[in-house]
Amino acid sequence: MEGDHTAELFAGVDALLAQAAAVLPDAGERRRLREAAHLSLSQVATALKTSPELVESWESGLVEPSGPQRAAYARLLKGLLARERAQDEDAGSSSPPPAPRLREQAPPPRSTTPAPRRRTTTVPSRGPHRGSSPAPGEHFPAGPLAVLDGADILTAHLADGTTLPCPAGTVVGVLHWALRSGIGQPSLATHGRPADPLIVLTPSAAHHLGLPAELEDRAGLRLPAHHPVIEAVTADGWKLTHRGFGPWARIYQRPTGRQRRSVQLAVTGWGALSTGSWNPPAGLTPQELARWLGIYTERVLTPCGSTAVCGQELMTALRPPTRAVRAASGTWHQGNNPGGLWNPVDPAPPEAPDAHPLARDRGPHDALDEEAWDWHRHPTVDEADFFPHVVGLDINLAFVSAAGSLVTGLNTPPEHVTRPVFDKKTPGAWYCDLSHITLDPRLPSPFTPTGLPPTGPAWYATPTLAYAEELGATVQPTEAYLRLEHSTYLTPWYKHLRNAYMATMNDLGITESMNQADYLTAMRTLPRQDPFLLSLLAAIKATGKGGIGKLRAGPRDPRRAPFDPWPALSTPTWRPDIRAALISRARTNMHRKMLRTAQETGRYPMAVLSDCAVYPADRPTALDAVPQGDDGNGVTGAFRLGVNPGLVKEEGVQSMAWLLTARHEGTNPARHIKNTSTP
């Protein structure tokens, strides 16, 4: 019996190993290979002893095969691909390549032929720590994007430094070429969808395709609907999103079966990469630009608009709104993903921004005011007399790091409750009086964005009240709007951006193994590092900051009537409640570090702005302001110098006289302490 049990266990392990070895192409490629071989769903189903409906679900990505069927399906697809490549090689050796066309008079036919062969070029690398070029994936052999350049003939520069010929002479031709050239990126999550191919048009490529050098509509930033390019695109069955044809344009057709037909265009001459917090280094060649965008794509996601738009899209890509659901009949269909945001939800009345319809008759004291700090105080006599310097400490990715493990509401409206019992695990808005809590006046109040103590009852997000309890206060809210369906929605988003940030800092030679002194020295030389990587780092940080801002995007139409809805309200990721909870948590996290730092050093901040605190110092260095641990790595829970999100860097150093002058002029010293040489 023991031998039989062992054999059974080994058989199970062998089955798992076989499944792990059975790597499958992406869903769209599965269908393409079957159709290119002129095989029907029924033929494949018969061979694999399953149903045509299940094979169709495999091809649509709704469900993945498992067990012996997965191994057999992978073997079939691998054989079809090998057969196709052999046929291509035979065809290539027997006929010369066609001459390139300068202009296309009609769109190329939809084709299932494999991607054109790439030409290898060498992209120069500036500096020893510059990020490595992303390698193309098996499912998208041309990589995630192409930068088109050229006057008479277009050349596509790919992220890995190779090139492809692009024979298109029209925008319509580029769209068809992009879909058949193996450009794209796999999905970032199990239930997600692959990214659209990104085609970046340089000014020469835009001219070649009949696009103007500049947009006449400087307000709307889009081509007019009657422009010949748009007329040709729509005549070929393509559609544009509500953004129209502007610097960033997504152009799509009705899916073929369940395979998406969508392309993202970025027109550099119209400001696609010189606005929206992108700003790659000036003078990049098309090859270098493709590599710069490729590294961002590999570490974050395929660009699809401003960095703020990308920050918002990253949330959706990591927590898709839909997933495969199996009906009682055994068929698969798209259903709501419990972990994602798929339903636009109105905010609770106190959570609504001032322009929202729910704020029409609301008084100023009835609004939730969870914002970052803007606070400063006069130095004490001892601080002014004995400390000649002041040092700014800035928290790395303060608001992004606050998103990790933050509990937020999901898709159900908030529930109004009177006389609730406070629960720190339930996200929501609570009406509570915290004015009885007495704290050290040398610290900003953690309960208000002004840093001044509250004077009466007010609305607070859950992290603020949880911190009040942590400080030993009695918390007795009188009413609340609670979100009983909740999860840690932003945790994957935080981890993804953290990894991108850390990888780029590592390329710049700054690692988490450094002690505080070495880190400070390395950061002081950072502004002189490779502009290629510095601009990439700035784009990653802007993605996090902008994504948080998009959670409460305001109206943009100047002709909008007061309190009228605006388009962002109809999107599932417009969630001012999540933004409020995130900022609340970042502010209370910072206050906790201030308390711990005061316990270790006896020093208190004299100014705070957002995620930067200004401290008195004996010496003009951040090492003098932060606690020093025995190992040189600081004290847990206090302000610590280091590269990790949540740790701090030196924002700037000034004199105490400078701080006194700034306060006399009525400005927050934390706003201007940043040195011009500080990154």
Side-chain angles (χ1 to χ4, degrees):
M1 293 297 293
E2 183 177 353
D4 293 342
H5 181 62
T6 302
E8 182 181 353
L9 290 175
F10 283 7
V13 170
D14 291 342
L16 285 176
L17 291 174
Q19 179 166 338
V23 179
L24 297 175
D26 71 290
E29 179 71 358
R30 300 171 198 175
R31 175 172 181 161
R32 189 195 69 77
L33 287 170
R34 175 181 61 78
E35 291 180 344
H38 305 291
L39 296 176
S40 67
L41 289 170
S42 297
Q43 288 174 303
V44 174
T46 300
L48 298 177
K49 300 186 185 306
T50 186
S51 66
E53 291 77 15
L54 189 55
V55 175
E56 186 178 17
S57 296
W58 296 345
E59 291 184 352
S60 67
L62 287 173
V63 66
E64 289 292 306
S66 60
Q69 281 183 332
R70 180 183 180 91
Y73 189 41
R75 180 182 177 86
L76 170 65
L77 296 175
K78 184 177 180 180
L80 293 178
L81 182 61
R83 176 185 174 188
E84 185 177 69
R85 288 175 175 171
Q87 292 173 344
D88 292 339
E89 291 175 0
D90 292 342
S93 61
S94 61
S95 59
R101 292 173 289 175
L102 299 184
R103 295 276 176 175
E104 288 183 346
Q105 301 302 320
R110 295 182 177 89
S111 172
T112 58
T113 56
R117 294 181 177 84
R118 293 175 288 157
R119 295 193 294 267
T120 302
T121 59
T122 300
V123 180
S125 177
R126 302 175 185 171
H129 298 296
R130 177 172 284 205
S132 58
S133 298
E138 177 185 354
H139 307 326
F140 296 101
L145 58 92
V147 177
L148 295 187
D149 185 60
D152 296 328
I153 300 176
L154 294 180
T155 298
H157 302 274
L158 306 181
D160 65 350
T162 61
T163 61
L164 277 177
C166 179
T170 64
V171 169
V172 172
V174 168
L175 299 176
H176 287 283
W177 172 85
L179 291 179
R180 69 172 187 264
S181 295
I183 301 174
Q185 175 138 4
S187 63
L188 296 177
T190 301
H191 302 298
R193 56 177 174 79
D196 297 334
L198 169 63
I199 307 300
V200 181
L201 304 179
T202 62
S204 63
H207 177 74
H208 176 83
L209 299 172
L211 295 172
E214 296 181 353
L215 289 171
E216 295 181 4
D217 181 3
R218 302 308 302 168
L221 288 178
R222 64 184 68 188
L223 284 180
H226 57 76
H227 192 279
V229 169
I230 293 185
E231 291 177 346
V233 166
T234 55
D236 193 57
W238 298 86
K239 297 180 180 180
L240 293 160
T241 65
H242 71 275
R243 288 193 296 182
F245 201 131
W248 292 91
R250 189 173 75 84
I251 307 178
Y252 63 97
Q253 284 184 335
R254 184 180 298 275
T256 302
R258 295 184 180 178
Q259 184 176 359
R260 285 170 56 86
R261 294 183 60 82
S262 181
V263 179
Q264 178 72 59
L265 297 182
V267 186
T268 62
W270 298 351
L273 294 174
S274 57
T275 58
S277 299
W278 283 113
N279 298 316
L284 290 183
T285 65
Q287 295 96 328
E288 292 174 319
L289 178 59
R291 184 164 173 262
W292 190 86
L293 290 171
I295 298 173
Y296 177 90
T297 298
E298 180 187 37
R299 294 179 180 177
V300 185
L301 85 167
T302 304
C304 52
S306 66
T307 54
V309 169
C310 290
Q312 185 180 44
E313 288 292 323
L314 182 62
M315 297 177 189
T316 302
L318 293 169
R319 292 281 203 188
T322 60
R323 66 171 184 172
V325 176
R326 189 169 189 172
S329 61
T331 61
W332 293 86
H333 61 91
Q334 290 282 13
N336 296 326
N337 182 9
L341 296 181
W342 44 266
N343 184 41
V345 176
D346 284 336
E351 295 167 344
D354 291 340
H356 196 277
L358 290 174
R360 182 186 296 272
D361 300 317
R362 187 183 66 190
H365 297 292
D366 294 327
L368 178 73
D369 191 19
E370 294 285 12
E371 297 294 337
W373 271 316
D374 186 349
W375 169 88
H376 55 101
R377 63 174 175 85
H378 194 78
T380 65
V381 174
D382 288 344
E383 288 170 338
D385 289 347
F386 295 106
F387 292 101
H389 307 285
V390 291
V391 176
L393 303 177
D394 183 77
I395 301 177
N396 302 323
L397 298 184
F399 298 101
V400 172
S401 63
S405 72
L406 175 69
V407 178
T408 63
L410 288 176
N411 298 289
T412 56
E415 180 178 326
H416 184 245
V417 182
T418 57
R419 298 292 178 183
V421 176
F422 177 67
D423 178 8
K424 65 181 181 180
K425 297 181 180 179
T426 302
W430 310 76
Y431 193 68
C432 188
D433 191 350
L434 301 180
S435 60
H436 61 284
I437 302 176
T438 302
L439 299 173
D440 194 310
R442 291 172 294 181
L443 289 174
S445 169
F447 311 129
T448 66
T450 62
L452 301 176
T455 57
W459 288 96
Y460 299 100
T462 298
T464 301
L465 288 194
Y467 187 59
E469 274 196 336
E470 183 181 327
L471 293 174
T474 300
V475 174
Q476 295 179 328
T478 56
E479 63 175 313
Y481 289 90
L482 305 180
R483 287 177 165 80
L484 303 181
E485 181 202 14
H486 49 260
S487 76
T488 54
Y489 172 75
L490 288 176
T491 296
W493 183 80
Y494 156 69
K495 291 180 178 179
H496 196 81
L497 285 174
R498 178 197 181 278
N499 292 341
Y501 167 80
M502 294 294 287
T504 309
M505 291 296 283
N506 185 72
D507 288 340
L508 287 160
I510 299 175
T511 66
E512 57 185 323
S513 63
M514 291 178 166
N515 62 32
Q516 292 193 119
D518 291 342
Y519 170 74
L520 180 61
T521 301
M523 287 297 291
R524 285 178 172 173
T525 66
L526 186 63
R528 300 189 293 276
Q529 297 286 351
D530 185 0
F532 183 99
L533 289 172
L534 291 177
S535 60
L536 180 65
L537 179 68
I540 293 170
K541 294 164 69 174
T543 301
K545 182 178 180 179
I548 294 170
K550 280 286 186 179
L551 291 169
R552 202 184 71 166
R556 303 178 64 181
D557 186 357
R559 298 166 296 181
R560 167 186 164 274
F563 302 110
D564 274 1
W566 59 96
L569 305 190
S570 61
T571 60
T573 50
W574 189 83
R575 293 296 297 268
D577 59 298
I578 295 179
R579 177 185 176 274
L582 194 153
I583 293 177
S584 165
R585 193 180 196 211
R587 195 180 62 241
T588 53
N589 282 348
M590 192 173 184
H591 193 273
R592 191 179 292 107
K593 294 178 187 295
M594 291 175 181
L595 277 178
R596 179 66 170 156
T597 299
Q599 293 169 1
E600 294 291 329
T601 66
R603 300 185 198 179
Y604 294 82
M606 295 178 295
V608 184
L609 182 70
S610 188
D611 53 359
C612 175
V614 176
Y615 274 82
D618 286 316
R619 296 175 291 123
T621 171
L623 287 172
D624 189 74
V626 299
Q628 294 295 317
D630 295 335
D631 58 357
N633 287 322
V635 175
T636 301
F639 285 122
R640 295 169 56 197
L641 294 171
V643 68
N644 280 288
L647 302 188
V648 300
K649 66 178 182 292
E650 182 184 90
E651 181 75 353
V653 178
Q654 300 289 352
S655 66
M656 181 64 75
W658 171 89
L659 179 138
L660 294 173
T661 300
R663 287 206 78 253
H664 179 73
E665 295 174 349
T667 61
N668 188 334
R671 186 180 302 277
H672 303 292
I673 196 169
K674 182 171 183 174
N675 296 338
T676 56
S677 61
T678 303

